[in-house]
Amino acid sequence: MAKEQEKIQMRNILRLLKKLIKYLNDTGSNDLKISVLPLRVNAFSEGGECGEGLSWSLDSETGVLRISGSGALPDYTEHKPDYDPTQAPWSVYVYRIRSIVVDEGVTCVGSYAFFKCIYASSVTLPDSVTAIGAHAFEKCVSLETIDLAGVKSIGEFAFSGCKALTEYTVDSDAVCANNAFEGAGKRPLGCGGSAFGAAPIAVVIAAAFVL
């Protein structure tokens, strides 16, 4: 994790330098103009362990994040600018992830596993995945399609905010927690209304009159 922390610290330093340069340019004389040359980041491959019997790898050139092995992907916490070990180890690279591939053998996608992977447009899940934890794909705003056949349990806010998600189907016997698909682009078959957030006011009023 030391490598990830060093990269985060470098990003924070660059961010502060940019703010300082902007301040100097805004308040200094016209003769003083400072600029930062863009840094070129070479392609790299990163990875490691992510729970017992599981590993992850990210190809920065293709943007493919792959989870391999056998077992359940553990629960993580919401990732924030300052990395800590309770977050998914790939959370420091979320802006490089373009697609997510989970290999056969993985049985569960843990909470916050792919939270805010905002550039991931596709997710491939194997038949072996039967459960998806809370917030697992929340705010994956570019996610367009995912096959949830065989998934029997979907946690709270698992796909909340996935506004581009328009192609997906949930098994009729799947158990979907409240707000599992809140803000998603399309309602899937197989989940009750509570999976999409609060009912519209007009529906609530109509129900009151019926009662």
Side-chain angles (χ1 to χ4, degrees):
M1 296 303 176
K3 187 185 296 183
E4 285 85 350
Q5 291 175 340
E6 289 176 2
K7 291 179 180 178
I8 292 172
Q9 290 173 353
M10 182 59 68
R11 290 195 194 100
N12 290 336
I13 291 172
L14 289 173
R15 193 178 297 116
L16 288 173
L17 284 174
K18 287 180 180 179
K19 288 182 178 180
L20 175 60
I21 290 168
K22 184 179 185 302
Y23 172 78
L24 292 174
N25 285 335
D26 290 344
T27 59
S29 67
N30 293 331
D31 296 331
L32 177 62
K33 290 296 178 183
I34 307 174
S35 62
V36 176
L37 294 176
L39 297 177
R40 184 179 184 276
V41 180
N42 294 325
F44 65 90
S45 180
E46 190 61 86
E49 296 181 353
C50 54
E52 187 174 352
L54 295 175
S55 62
W56 69 278
S57 63
L58 172 64
D59 185 330
S60 69
E61 191 168 4
T62 62
V64 176
L65 172 64
R66 182 179 295 274
I67 309 297
S68 306
S70 179
L73 197 60
D75 291 333
Y76 295 105
T77 60
E78 177 180 352
H79 67 76
K80 299 176 181 178
D82 295 325
Y83 179 82
D84 71 66
T86 65
Q87 301 169 19
W90 50 84
S91 63
V92 294
Y93 306 114
V94 290
Y95 298 117
R96 288 181 169 269
I97 298 171
R98 297 297 182 267
S99 63
I100 299 166
V101 178
V102 180
D103 287 343
E104 186 69 30
V106 179
T107 58
C108 173
V109 176
S111 299
Y112 288 103
F114 306 110
F115 177 77
K116 263 188 178 179
C117 289
I118 61 174
Y119 295 117
S121 59
S122 68
V123 173
T124 302
L125 296 179
D127 294 337
S128 56
V129 169
T130 58
I132 294 176
H135 308 274
F137 295 95
E138 183 179 356
K139 296 183 180 179
C140 291
V141 295
S142 299
L143 180 60
E144 299 175 352
T145 177
I146 185 171
D147 185 357
L148 296 171
V151 177
K152 302 303 180 185
S153 174
I154 301 176
E156 289 186 334
F157 301 100
F159 294 93
S160 176
C162 297
K163 58 185 180 181
L165 188 57
T166 56
E167 296 183 21
Y168 59 111
T169 302
V170 179
D171 288 352
S172 59
D173 60 344
V175 177
C176 301
N178 290 340
N179 305 299
F181 292 90
E182 181 182 45
K186 178 182 177 183
R187 291 191 174 195
L189 301 175
C191 283
S194 63
F196 307 95
I201 294 176
V203 174
V204 175
I205 294 175
F209 278 107
V210 171
L211 294 175

